[in-house]
């Protein structure tokens, strides 16, 4: 099967856990063999799920989790394709987002996950709510380049326009408003 082919070739490319590169995360992932394999696997998995209209049980744990131990590209693509992963296995994504929110901002994997996620063109309300702790950390620590920070501002602004944030110190829910925090700092 196609999955067996992916499993056979995944161990072949040389990978780095922390590459020495000045390129942005997405460019790096697009230009490595391991990154291309992961991207192809994601696209393949999405097409199978859409064509069969069936989702594989525990897709993330069974099919994607092993990529994290092999190279940084797994973190970048997980962030970039987060809404697609949520479609394939919502529980897995919810748990992984929670795991990422517990990481320190100095954690390289967290930074690359966030950089990959912030390159996404759509901000979905349900995922925005899950990502709030990660947005909050990114605002507080300012660990990203100007380009990535601009994407963070765009995401939080979309959160405000979509009603997830309010133009006051605290949202009606009692949580701190990320939009207010962003403007205040």
């Amino acid at each position: 099967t196609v999955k067996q082919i992916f499993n056979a070739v995944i161990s072949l490319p040389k990978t780095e856990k922390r590459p020495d590169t000045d390129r942005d995360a997405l460019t790096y992932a697009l230009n490595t063999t391991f990154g291309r394999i992961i991207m192809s696997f994601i696209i393949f998995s999405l097409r199978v799920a859409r064509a069969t209209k069936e989702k594989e049980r525990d897709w993330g744990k069974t099919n994607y989790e092993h990529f994290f131990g092999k190279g940084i590209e797994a973190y970048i693509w997980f962030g970039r394709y987060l809404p697609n992963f949520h479609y394939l296995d919502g529980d897995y994504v919810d748990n992984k987002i929670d795991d990422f929110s517990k990481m320190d901002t100095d954690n390289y994997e967290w930074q690359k996950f966030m950089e990959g996620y912030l390159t996404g063109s759509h901000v979905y309300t349900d995922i925005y709510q899950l990502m709030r702790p990660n947005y909050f950390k990114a605002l507080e620590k300012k660990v990203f380049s100007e380009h990535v920070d601009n994407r963070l501002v765009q995401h939080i602004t979309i959160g405000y326009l979509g009603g997830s944030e309010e133009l006051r110190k605290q949202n009606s829910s009692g949580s701190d408003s990320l939009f207010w925090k962003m403007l205040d700092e």
Side-chain angles (χ1 to χ4, degrees):
T1 70
V2 175
K3 281 187 185 179
Q4 291 172 323
I5 294 170
F6 276 111
N7 288 334
V9 299
I10 199 67
S11 62
L12 299 176
K14 183 179 165 192
T15 62
E16 301 173 86
K17 286 291 281 179
R18 191 177 178 118
D20 182 25
T21 180
D22 290 330
R23 294 176 287 182
D24 65 278
L26 206 55
T27 301
Y28 176 77
L30 280 168
N31 288 300
T32 66
T33 303
F34 185 62
R36 289 292 187 155
I37 291 170
I38 292 173
M39 187 177 71
S40 298
F41 182 75
I42 295 165
I43 292 167
F44 164 75
S45 297
L46 286 165
R47 287 196 177 145
V48 167
R50 288 180 182 138
T52 63
K53 297 186 185 343
E54 294 179 14
K55 296 179 190 172
E56 184 178 333
R57 184 177 165 90
D58 294 327
W59 179 89
K61 187 176 182 183
T62 305
N63 294 296
Y64 198 80
E65 189 67 27
H66 67 282
F67 289 131
F68 285 116
K70 298 185 187 300
I72 199 64
E73 296 92 337
Y75 295 88
I76 296 165
W77 288 129
F78 186 76
R80 175 62 183 88
Y81 284 101
L82 195 63
N84 304 97
F85 281 113
H86 201 266
Y87 168 77
L88 290 170
D89 190 346
D91 291 337
Y92 175 76
V93 169
D94 294 353
N95 291 328
K96 288 304 281 186
I97 290 173
D98 186 52
D99 291 345
F100 279 114
S101 72
K102 294 173 185 168
M103 292 180 179
D104 188 64
T105 54
D106 293 336
N107 184 299
Y108 190 70
E109 286 86 9
W110 178 82
Q111 291 175 6
K112 294 306 163 191
F113 157 71
M114 285 297 292
E115 191 173 338
Y117 173 67
L118 292 170
T119 62
S121 58
H122 297 289
V123 180
Y124 298 93
T125 304
D126 55 341
I127 295 175
Y128 181 89
Q129 293 301 325
L130 294 169
M131 288 295 294
R132 284 189 90 250
N134 289 295
Y135 288 137
F136 190 82
K137 286 185 345 184
L139 277 176
E140 277 192 330
K141 298 293 182 169
K142 298 175 180 35
V143 294
F144 297 114
S145 68
E146 184 178 343
H147 173 71
V148 177
D149 272 342
N150 287 339
R151 297 291 299 166
L152 176 64
V153 168
Q154 290 173 3
H155 275 237
I156 293 172
T157 302
I158 291 169
Y160 166 72
L161 293 171
S164 296
E165 305 294 341
E166 297 175 28
L167 186 54
R168 55 184 180 177
K169 192 169 180 102
Q170 289 197 315
N171 295 324
S172 300
S173 65
S175 63
D176 290 340
S177 170
L178 294 175
F179 191 68
W180 182 268
K181 182 175 181 54
M182 180 182 69
L183 294 175
D184 192 38
E185 295 178 3

